Structure formats: C-alpha cells, structure tokens
C-alpha cells in the first residue's frame, strides 16, 4: 500500500495523533479511498481528518442507505465498503445493511463512536446512549470490536481487513469510545492486515473431485456468489467440457451467460429444477449454502454425490451431507484441475467460442466427454429445463416478462443492475432477465431486505462510472429508501430507476389471500413517484407499455441525474 502521509492533527499536540486521526490513517493504509455516512455530533473527530488523507465521502440521506451503498460498492469493485455512523440510532439504522452483508458474504466495515470508556453502566440520559452497541452488532456482524485505546484502533482495522482478505467476507463493526476519539498519543507504525493468501485446495482433494466428475453420467453445477470471481474457469473448464448444466443462485446470477446452452439461469426455486437436480448423480456446488434462501423452500434432498467448494469450513457441516469437501477459494479450486494435475489429454466442445484450446486433465476419452460433444443435445436439454421451469409460473410472471424484455434491449451487456426484494425482481428479473459474465446483477438474497436497489445503484455507478447502471424495484420497497433520490440527484449521474407499482406490498397481499385471509395493511395510498423524483431534483415519467419503457430508459441513460420510471400494475 505504501506509506501514508502524516498531516498535522488539529486538536492534538504537535507530533501526536488523536483516535480519530489514527482511525482515518489506518483506513487509508488499507487502501480505503471512499466512505459512506452522515456526520453527527459524536463522529466529527473522524470527519476532520478525511480530506487530509484523501478519502472521499458520499452523504446518503439515511444510514440504511449508506449501508446499502457501501454494499453495492463492495460487490462491484471487490473492495470492502466502509460506513461511518454516529452513535446509537445512526448505528442501528445501518443494522439492516449489516445483516444483508452477512447473509450475502459482502465485505462491509461499519465504524461508529461509542460511549466513553468510563461511562457508568446505569443509564445517565447521555445523547444517543445505548446499553451496548457492541452487543447489538455482535449478533449480526462477524465481529464487533470496542477499542480500549488509541493504539488499539489500527489493530482493529487490520483485524477487519484480515478477515476480508483471508476468510469468507463478512461485515465487521469497530466502536471507538468518544474519549478515545479525542485522546492523543505519539504515533507508531500503522498495523496492516495480514497478506496471507486464501487457502488453495489440497491436491488429493482436487484429484478425488475430478475423478468423481469424470465418472459422472448426469452431472450438474450449482454456482453461488463465490463463483463470480471464477467465471471463465466455471464456464470453460467445467460446464462446457463436462457437459454439465449450470444452475445459479441469485448471488451467482450471470456467472455463466444465461443465454448459454448449458444454463437454465437462476432456477433453484423452481420445483421442476429441484426435481431435476435430485436426479443428478454428481452435483458440484461452488460458493453456495444450498439453503432455504436459495431454494425458497426447505432444501430438497440430493441423492447424488455432492462435491462442495467453499471458503467457509462450517459449510461442510451445514445442510446436505458433503461427500467431497474442498475448503478453499473458489477461483483457485476451479483452476486447480488445469494446473495441478498431469496433462494426459484435452477435451473440446465445438460451437463454444473461445475455448478450442481449453484443457482439463483426465477428462478426454470418457463417456461423459462424448456427451459433451453433442451440443445439440445439450441445448435441447437446457431448453427443456427452462421451459419446465417457466411453465410452472407462466401466468404469474406474464405481467413482467414483456417489460423485462424491453429493459434488456436497452443497456449495454456490461451494465450493472440492482434489484430489490420485490415480486418484479425475484419472480420477474431473476429468472427472466438474462445476464452474462460481463454484466452484474446485485440482489439482496439471504436477508431479503427491502430498499436495497436505489442506494446500491448509486454507489455502483460512482464505483464504475464507465458502466451503465439501472435499478429495479417495487413501490413498497422503494419507499424504504426513496430519500436517496436526493443523493442521486446531487451526484448528477445517469440512473434509471424502474418501479413496478402495484399499490402496496404485493407478496404479502398474495400470501394473505392464499391463506384465505382478508388482505390487511398491505394496500398503500397512491404516491406520485415521478413527481417525487422531480421534487428531489431528478426526473420522472410513466411507462404504460414495454415500448414506452424502452424509450424512457434510453433517454434516462443519457440524462444526468436519476430518472424514476413507474410501470403501473393492476392490483390483482
């Protein structure tokens, strides 16, 4: 990272660092150049030092938005997102984003002040006083660390970045007591995170996995979020050469192009695909929990051999019984068959551009490779699986599909799409909006939070200004963080937000009706969302048919600032 310049600390004696400066110095030493948050009375000593260390700041309109924005930044850039809050309610406002980051394995660091070290246990009525911020965050983050000295602050930052770099990424919280933020001490060298590489798979475990895959008659790949960094390896070395159909979780969407002959896309929630998966004699699961949030139901039994790749060793003992465990980095594991095994031949699959010279040791000559050579059969199988999946929900999804097709035609292939926990997203876009490896689709999967799409899109656009970004949401979810339209307008970046408006909380309304209940508290009073966007300094319009939506999107991608496009839906 290089050395960090030492600007003069205002409020400290010459040559001394306050806790606030020590914190900012430690962040910069770990490559942080952007943070998200809202300044408040208790965190001003942190904000004082941001400019001197070259750390830019984005001000959302709510700390929940700050958390989702940092989450989107982390998913797009691969670097940890950092949130600065003040004490008490501000920290708790960000808690939903911390829970989402934990569920979806996103590297997120939340930093907050806390009550002074000597603050009495009984409540005193101090501003933003809480019984224990660390206890509150410990229940949803990988760890919550309360620094007891200025010297301990950079050690806590190093601990967080060591977690991000060497283990399964999870959110962390660091609390710096108010008296330690203001205290000053002589500076020492900055502690930095361990440079230890992520674990590589044991050669013997890789050999066993390849042997199992070579002998498979009906293999399948299930790719989760951790497979995103191993896209080419998954597509070429495994899917194509093994002739194994690929199903992705929501977090793994786009790992293999969803127009690819081997990819039914995001399909684990489909009963037809679940039945098909149960017939596979070998399933290779990469970076996925194979959990209820992936299947949208109790995970079905897998009758075949399960080969599992995951950085988290605990996943080898959770859920389905693992026959061949590979506790290692997904990318390194999927490269291993190409680099570590003896080269005794290579397999090829015609018609797949760019892989004519791809080699997988040990795969040539077996019966399964001959199946892989029959591209027409693979395409027919993929089409049959997709058709079976879509037939189950055709009536329900019909209202979104024409609009999603229109949306897909407008942005570039490498566009970043963010979505919300809304019917139009998980029933509509996840299965019916194809994404390829060059693009990204960000969805709040495990925690199922509402209000994610808009702030995540804002941050994604700032992090990747050369790529188009658009957000998909429902009217209920959007209003959790609708105030972030002001942030988007202030940044003046082109950002279309497509909102399917069914007048309330559609999923809960449907569930109530399915139970035979009278829908209660799920219908929202109409809001003129395009007018609200204009009031925040953006633009707004309505699209009553797919052609109008395509035109509005085209204009929005060329116009500075956010454009909110409402698609009215009839309330069922």
């Amino acid at each position: 990272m290089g050395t960090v310049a030492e600007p003069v600390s205002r409020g400290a004696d010459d040559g001394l660092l306050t806790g606030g400066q020590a914190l900012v110095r430690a962040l910069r030493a770990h490559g942080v150049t952007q943070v998200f948050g809202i300044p408040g009375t208790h965190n001003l000593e942190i904000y004082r030092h941001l400019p001197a260390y070259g750390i830019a700041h984005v001000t959302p309109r709510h700390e929940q938005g700050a958390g989702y924005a940092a989450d989107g930044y982390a998913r797009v850039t691969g670097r940890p997102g950092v949130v600065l809050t003040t004490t008490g309610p501000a920290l708790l406002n960000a808690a939903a984003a911390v829970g989402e980051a934990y569920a979806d394995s996103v590297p997120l660091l939340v930093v907050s002040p806390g009550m002074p070290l000597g603050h009495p246990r009984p409540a005193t009525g101090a501003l933003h006083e809480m019984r224990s911020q660390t206890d509150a965050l410990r229940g949803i983050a990988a760890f919550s660390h309360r620094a007891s000295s200025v010297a301990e602050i950079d050690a806590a930052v190093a601990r967080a970045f060591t977690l991000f770099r060497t283990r399964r990424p999870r959110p962390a919280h660091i609390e710096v007591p108010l008296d330690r933020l203001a205290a000053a001490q002589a500076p020492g060298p900055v502690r930095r995170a361990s440079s230890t590489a992520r674990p590589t798979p044991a050669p013997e475990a890789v050999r066993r996995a390849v042997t199992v895959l070579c002998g498979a008659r009906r293999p399948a790949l299930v790719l989760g979020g951790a497979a995103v960094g191993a896209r080419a390896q998954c597509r070429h070395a495994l899917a194509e050469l093994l002739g194994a159909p690929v199903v992705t979780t929501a977090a793994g969407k786009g790992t293999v192009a969803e127009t690819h002959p081997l990819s039914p896309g995001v399909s684990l929630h489909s009963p037809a695909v679940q039945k098909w998966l149960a017939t596979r004699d070998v399933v290779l699961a990469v970076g996925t929990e194979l959990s209820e949030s992936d299947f949208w139901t109790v995970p079905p039994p897998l009758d075949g051999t399960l080969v599992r790749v995951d950085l988290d060793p605990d996943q080898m003992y959770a859920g389905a019984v693992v026959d061949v465990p590979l506790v290692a980095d997904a990318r390194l594991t999927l490269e291993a068959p190409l680099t570590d095994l003896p080269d005794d031949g290579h397999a090829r699959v015609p018609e797949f551009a760019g892989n004519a010279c791809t080699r997988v040791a040990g795969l040539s000559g077996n019966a399964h490779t001959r199946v892989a050579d029959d591209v027409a059969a693979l395409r027919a199988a993929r089409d049959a699986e997709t058709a079976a999946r879509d037939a189950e929900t055709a009536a329900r999804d019909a209202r979104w599909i024409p609009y999603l097709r229109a949306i897909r035609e407008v942005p570039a292939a490498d566009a970043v799409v963010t979505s919300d926990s809304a019917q139009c997203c998980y029933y509509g876009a996840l299965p019916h909006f194809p994404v390829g490896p060059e693009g990204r689709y960000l969805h709040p999967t495990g925690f199922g939070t509402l209000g994610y799409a808009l702030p995540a899109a804002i941050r994604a656009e700032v992090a990747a200004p050369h790529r188009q970004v658009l957000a998909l949401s429902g009217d209920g979810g959007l209003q959790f963080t609708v105030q972030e339209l002001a942030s988007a307008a202030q940044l003046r970046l082109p950002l279309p937000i497509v909102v399917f408006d069914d007048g309330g909380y559609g999923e809960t309304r449907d569930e109530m009706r399915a139970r035979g209940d009278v829908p209660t508290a799920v219908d929202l009073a109409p809001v003129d969302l395009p007018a609200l966007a204009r009031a925040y300094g953006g633009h707004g319009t309505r699209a009553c048919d797919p052609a109008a939506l395509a035109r509005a999107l085209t204009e929005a991608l060329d116009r500075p600032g956010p454009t909110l496009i409402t698609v009215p839906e009839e309330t069922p």
Side-chain angles (χ1 to χ4, degrees), residues 302-376:
L302 300 178
D303 295 333
T305 300
L306 177 58
V307 181
R308 194 164 190 173
V309 180
D310 206 292
L311 193 61
D312 184 357
D314 290 345
Q315 292 304 309
M316 302 304 166
Y317 313 102
V321 176
V322 180
D323 300 288
V324 184
L326 292 164
V327 181
D329 178 84
R331 180 181 60 82
L332 298 175
T333 301
L334 296 178
E335 286 176 347
L338 301 178
T339 59
D340 292 347
L341 296 179
D343 181 8
D344 57 358
H346 64 274
R348 298 182 181 181
V349 181
E351 291 190 16
F352 293 128
N355 76 323
C357 298
T358 303
R359 296 179 300 143
V360 174
L363 296 184
S364 63
N366 61 53
H368 188 65
T369 302
R370 291 194 294 274
V371 173
D373 286 334
D374 189 351
V375 178

Side-chain angles (χ1 to χ4, degrees), residues 11 17 85 170 177 311 404 437 469 548:
L17 265 67
T85 78
R170 286 278 170 79
L311 193 61
L404 293 168
V469 180

Side-chain angles (χ1 to χ4, degrees), residues 133-147:
Q133 292 187 152
T134 52
D135 284 349
L137 270 291
R138 193 172 287 127
I140 51 176
F143 71 81
S144 179
H145 185 123
R146 178 173 162 91

